[in-house]
Amino acid sequence: MRNMKFIAAFVCLLLVLPLSIEVQAQAPIKVGLIVPLSGPWARQGQVMRAAADLAIEQINAGGGIRAHGGRPLELVVFDAGDSVERAKNAAQRMVAEEPDLVGATGAYLSSFTLAVTEVTERAQIPMLTLSYSDLVTSRGFDYIFQTSATGAYQAENAIPLLLD
């Protein structure tokens, strides 16, 4: 179920791609994925990567991004590792190594997401996340999109259900 949510969220990221991207001769549109591929959360990161690969494969097989002349997507993957510092370093590498990146997703843990989005916000790279922390979108950032219900929302709505 979470994989389907990730694929849906990834497709949503593609909907917020800047429309001002110049159409180049079928140059791929690069989308970043920051997930833990090493450490204790590596399995979850591998699943997220597989879901992103599947989504991109399906989009490219369907003719790419039609609004941009059918340009294909290219996934650029960075390992968030096993700590907040490694996740932030991955975001810094992503920004430095991929200047033509149009958006990113991932990070997996809310603590990783909070660190990663400090970097993506400064670089003005749209970031889509499934993280739950209320802080993800309450900091006033313009380039973060949270598709999951926040922790506070989940708690407020879960308590009445549990009491019933």
Side-chain angles (χ1 to χ4, degrees):
M1 182 64 168
R2 186 153 168 100
N3 289 345
M4 291 307 295
K5 287 182 182 178
F6 181 76
I7 290 173
F10 189 74
V11 171
C12 288
L13 170 67
L14 301 176
L15 297 176
V16 298
L17 292 175
L19 296 178
S20 62
I21 300 172
E22 291 183 27
V23 176
Q24 301 166 359
Q26 293 304 314
I29 296 172
K30 293 184 179 182
V31 178
L33 177 67
I34 299 177
V35 290
L37 296 171
S38 58
W41 299 286
R43 177 67 184 133
Q44 290 87 342
Q46 292 164 355
V47 170
M48 291 175 74
R49 181 180 187 167
D53 284 337
L54 178 62
I56 285 185
E57 181 182 312
Q58 289 178 346
I59 290 166
N60 288 343
I65 304 298
R66 290 187 194 110
H68 295 285
R71 287 173 59 193
L73 290 175
E74 179 182 331
L75 186 65
V76 183
V77 181
F78 291 86
D79 182 10
D82 60 357
S83 71
V84 170
E85 189 62 32
R86 287 191 65 197
K88 187 172 185 176
N89 289 341
Q92 291 168 334
R93 275 193 323 280
M94 179 183 74
V95 168
E97 294 174 10
E98 301 294 341
D100 54 346
L101 201 68
V102 298
T105 189
Y108 183 63
L109 299 172
S110 290
S111 58
F112 289 11
T113 302
L114 291 168
V116 165
T117 54
E118 290 175 11
V119 175
T120 56
E121 182 71 16
R122 280 193 301 276
Q124 298 182 338
I125 295 173
M127 177 78 178
L128 180 81
T129 184
L130 297 172
S131 295
Y132 302 123
S133 173
D134 298 301
L135 295 174
V136 170
T137 52
S138 68
R139 296 174 291 169
F141 287 2
D142 294 323
Y143 293 90
I144 181 69
F145 302 90
Q146 185 177 30
T147 60
S148 298
T150 63
Y153 180 85
Q154 290 180 45
E156 289 170 6
N157 290 289
I159 291 174
L161 289 174
L162 292 171
L163 292 174
D164 282 346

